[in-house]
Amino acid sequence: MEEESSGTSPVSRRRLMQVAGGALAAGTALGASPAYGAGSPKADADVIVVGGGLAGLVATAELTAAGRKVILLDQEPEASLGGQAYWSFGGLFLIDSHEQRLCGIKDSLELARQDWLGTAGFDRGVEDRLGEDHWGRRWADAYLEFAAGEKRSWLYGMGMRWVPIVGWAERGGQLADGPGNSVPRFHVTLGTGPGVMEPFEKRVREAAKKGLVTFRFRHQVDELLLSSGAVTGVRGSVLEPSNAPRGTASSRTKVGEFTLNAPQVLVTSGGIGGNLDLVRANWPSRLGSPPRTMVTGVPAHVDGRMLEIAERAGGRLVNRDRMWHYTEGLKNYEPIWANHGIRILPAPSSLWFDAKGRRFPAPAIPGYDTLGTLKMIKDTGYDYSWFVLNERIVKKEFTLSGSEQNPELTRKDLVAYLANRALGQTPEPVRKFLDRGEDFVVADTLRELVAGMNELTGQNLVDHDALLRQITARDREVDNRFGKDTQVMGIRNSLAYVGDDLSRTVGLHRILDPAAGPLIAVRLNLLSRKTLGGLQTDLSGRVLDADGAPVPGLYAAGEVSGFGGGGVHGYRSLEGTFLGGCLFSGRQAGRAAAAESA
């Protein structure tokens, strides 16, 4: 039986009421916006929230809980309420949780902070009030305290539950103080992304019934209104009605204009991952040249429009070159949006090769170092790489990211999910990709596999004898309980963790063992996903200007703010921190905006 603590961390009391410079107000309500008073247009609401994704829903729920009237705007139709969160796997980063303790995991705030800072690599003026990393670093401390404190009890109280086996994502594979999670912290929500979104959507819809929320779908913001340097509302275009299903492209035909006024505007419009031109324009040189080809991990409406619009209103954009894209993308055989990519959630046994069939060195091991591997791939001059494995590995280790790719978890059927993983049955969505996905090659012999790989790419890049030599060398390492192959050592490390042993890591064996066949090769595409930089905000979610002062009346939360401060993750993510970043920053900004409008 699950135990539940009713206690809460003091982080919410310390962090809720921030004033300029991050000083604590210790429960004192902030005054109304000084720029919105006599002579200002009649307010249409207390707060306008721009963007109906997870951060927008959380902020709106907090605002209405304080009795504030909110207009919630989104350029998409109502079917897309919840944004990207709906499509997610529902992973949340928690520290020293009940689920971790059940799995025998010893975690602590100190260990998590060590991992976060080693992963983030904050190096842009952390101690400088105007530094790009100054507020991101402070948000990191606040978020870690939240994840170690009241985050779980807060969500549990809303009915959220998690798979009892904690996942071990982004393992790093370097030194103790380097990038990566030292222990498993990836808590998969029962209900996946929709299960994370559901409690907040319910609260917002209940507030709408009470007259506290007005939805304005198909309203595209083109401008933030300014009066005496303060944001006092929004102006934009009304788009024609659309019945486009969730995630599919909707029309951009304009049928009217609108102007709405409020003392506060809270921007929660997401990042740039659906706009590959913008991704390439911001691509950092440290990761090589921008990819010529990528698959898209988010719908087209994740277009980054509001970043420029908020910047024109005085907001400061920082860390534009920091982004989080995946290396294990598959072309969806049944796409929902254009160029739709699905990510493999990697487990440790597949061998990773470049486009020419050369095995990557550590830390390019499945599930270890996303951006480190991305750089290695780009350094080859190609935009794709290969997994080589066998059917025994697929059955136990292959999981696809996304709510639609995990039907048992999405419908909260935990028994069916655990039974299938324990029995090593190939998940049905994975089986469909094996049968229909264009990135898979299946063969009985390595020579046939190599021929299929070269046929798939139309280039004769992979040499059979060279691939055979490398796989055979790896296979020789499994004969002893020790050895020098980093990946083989990592598999043994995984098997020492009961969660991986039960559900995510197959027993160590030879890749070329005929009994484990057939052999499988998977072409891995680069997959666009998250924006790690954005609008710089203080710990209240107030957007700051180039001089480090709050732009009156303007707040931001979620991905548009780099999940807090313009970049709470620094250069890299520990995973499970994107939904969590939307939850925390949406809550902070919503509560602070409610206090300011008191």
Side-chain angles (χ1 to χ4, degrees):
M1 180 178 296
E2 184 165 5
E3 298 176 358
E4 186 58 33
S5 171
S6 60
T8 60
S9 163
V11 64
S12 61
R13 296 190 294 273
R14 292 201 307 270
R15 300 296 187 187
L16 280 183
M17 314 290 267
Q18 299 291 332
V19 295
L24 303 176
T28 302
L30 300 172
S33 174
Y36 209 95
S40 299
K42 183 178 183 298
D44 297 293
D46 295 313
V47 182
I48 295 170
V49 176
V50 182
L54 180 61
L57 289 174
V58 174
T60 301
E62 294 295 335
L63 284 160
T64 55
R68 305 296 176 263
K69 289 188 176 182
V70 177
I71 296 175
L72 180 57
L73 304 176
D74 201 290
Q75 64 186 2
E76 293 307 297
E78 186 171 1
S80 288
L81 186 65
Q84 296 178 64
Y86 178 88
W87 301 107
S88 77
F89 193 38
L92 294 175
F93 178 95
L94 297 172
I95 301 167
D96 192 26
S97 69
H98 175 74
E99 289 75 18
Q100 285 178 300
R101 293 191 292 272
L102 279 177
C103 291
I105 299 163
K106 296 181 179 180
D107 199 7
S108 67
L109 176 59
E110 293 74 22
L111 181 61
R113 182 178 287 112
Q114 172 181 297
D115 288 347
W116 192 290
L117 296 181
T119 300
F122 295 117
D123 61 1
R124 295 174 175 174
V126 173
E127 302 301 329
D128 180 357
R129 186 178 65 87
L130 297 181
E132 291 192 63
D133 278 338
H134 178 74
W135 285 102
R137 173 67 175 81
R138 298 189 68 178
W139 271 90
D141 281 334
Y143 179 72
L144 286 164
E145 291 180 26
F146 175 63
E150 65 179 307
K151 180 180 179 180
R152 185 184 182 278
S153 61
W154 179 58
L155 297 173
Y156 190 97
M158 297 182 202
M160 213 174 288
R161 300 292 184 270
W162 299 273
V163 176
I165 297 175
V166 183
W168 196 356
E170 203 65 14
R171 306 183 186 197
Q174 298 181 34
L175 299 177
D177 57 356
N181 283 297
S182 298
V183 298
R185 297 191 178 104
F186 192 82
H187 296 66
V188 178
T189 305
L190 280 176
T192 62
V196 177
M197 187 185 81
E198 178 183 352
F200 300 98
E201 181 181 357
K202 180 180 178 181
R203 291 173 65 189
V204 170
R205 291 198 182 276
E206 288 174 350
K209 292 177 182 178
K210 298 176 183 177
L212 292 174
V213 175
T214 303
F215 294 108
R216 290 286 184 265
F217 299 107
R218 304 298 286 154
H219 281 55
Q220 183 183 70
V221 173
D222 300 321
E223 179 185 2
L224 295 176
L225 300 178
L226 292 170
S227 176
S228 301
V231 173
T232 58
V234 296
R235 180 180 292 126
S237 305
V238 179
L239 306 178
E240 68 178 351
S242 172
N243 293 319
R246 182 187 291 274
T248 61
S250 62
S251 165
R252 289 294 177 264
T253 300
K254 299 176 181 179
V255 296
E257 298 179 346
F258 70 92
T259 299
L260 294 167
N261 300 290
Q264 280 90 39
V265 174
L266 203 168
V267 178
T268 58
S269 56
I272 68 174
N275 185 340
L276 294 187
D277 289 338
L278 202 52
V279 168
R280 293 185 180 102
N282 288 280
W283 191 267
S285 59
R286 64 182 175 274
L287 294 179
S289 59
R292 295 180 296 275
T293 58
M294 298 180 76
V295 290
T296 309
V298 294
H301 64 255
V302 187
D303 54 18
R305 292 182 72 256
M306 285 304 301
L307 286 163
E308 181 183 353
I309 291 169
E311 187 177 31
R312 289 203 304 266
R316 184 189 185 200
L317 281 179
V318 295
N319 299 313
R320 300 169 192 252
D321 62 332
R322 290 183 184 168
M323 51 188 71
W324 188 255
H325 304 305
Y326 291 111
T327 52
E328 312 96 343
L330 305 174
K331 294 181 180 179
N332 195 346
Y333 63 86
E334 201 169 65
I336 296 170
W337 53 82
N339 194 36
H340 187 179
I342 297 293
R343 185 198 176 203
I344 298 171
L345 293 173
S349 298
S350 299
L351 298 188
W352 209 330
F353 297 89
D354 70 11
K356 292 185 176 182
R358 298 170 296 196
R359 189 178 174 197
F360 285 115
I365 297 171
Y368 274 55
D369 186 343
T370 295
L371 287 197
T373 304
L374 176 57
K375 184 181 188 311
M376 288 185 188
I377 292 170
K378 289 302 303 171
D379 285 348
T380 68
Y382 295 88
D383 293 336
Y384 70 93
S385 58
W386 293 100
F387 275 175
V388 174
L389 59 152
N390 55 43
E391 187 168 16
R392 186 181 296 176
I393 294 172
V394 159
K395 285 182 176 179
K396 192 163 186 180
E397 295 197 2
F398 259 44
T399 298
L400 302 177
S401 183
S403 55
E404 81 282 14
Q405 301 297 330
N406 294 274
E408 295 101 344
L409 288 180
T410 300
R411 65 174 182 261
K412 303 184 180 181
D413 189 349
L414 179 60
V415 173
Y417 170 77
L418 293 177
N420 288 338
R421 300 312 294 183
L423 293 172
Q425 296 179 353
T426 304
E428 184 61 24
V430 174
R431 174 55 59 190
K432 288 181 178 179
F433 266 92
L434 280 167
D435 294 340
R436 302 172 60 186
E438 67 176 84
D439 295 307
F440 286 81
V441 180
V442 182
D444 290 325
T445 68
L446 187 63
R447 192 169 296 279
E448 292 171 321
L449 190 77
V450 169
M453 294 165 71
N454 287 329
E455 181 181 358
L456 178 60
T457 62
Q459 298 175 292
N460 192 33
L461 295 178
V462 181
D463 178 76
H464 167 266
D465 292 347
L467 197 66
L468 175 62
R469 177 186 57 77
Q470 294 172 91
I471 298 175
T472 300
R474 177 270 184 198
D475 281 358
R476 291 190 183 108
E477 294 286 311
V478 309
D479 290 339
N480 296 287
R481 297 176 63 184
F482 45 86
K484 68 177 183 180
D485 188 284
T486 302
Q487 184 172 3
V488 172
M489 294 163 64
I491 294 169
R492 291 193 173 103
N493 195 29
S494 293
L495 293 172
Y497 165 49
V498 64
D500 275 0
D501 189 28
L502 287 173
S503 67
R504 286 288 281 153
T505 305
V506 72
L508 189 57
H509 66 283
R510 293 173 181 259
I511 299 290
L512 296 178
D513 182 354
L519 294 169
I520 300 168
V522 188
R523 179 178 58 186
L524 304 173
N525 305 276
L526 301 184
L527 174 74
S528 71
R529 188 59 64 84
K530 294 297 181 186
T531 310
L532 298 188
L535 295 169
Q536 193 170 44
T537 59
D538 65 12
L539 287 170
S540 293
R542 296 184 299 179
V543 176
L544 306 177
D545 64 17
D547 296 322
V551 177
L554 185 59
Y555 289 80
E559 192 172 354
V560 75
S561 67
F563 302 93
V568 68
H569 297 96
Y571 288 93
R572 305 166 184 242
S573 165
L574 285 174
E575 292 286 25
T577 56
F578 299 127
L579 293 178
C582 289
L583 294 170
F584 184 56
S585 63
R587 193 177 86 148
Q588 290 288 93
R591 292 184 178 183
E596 184 174 346
S597 60

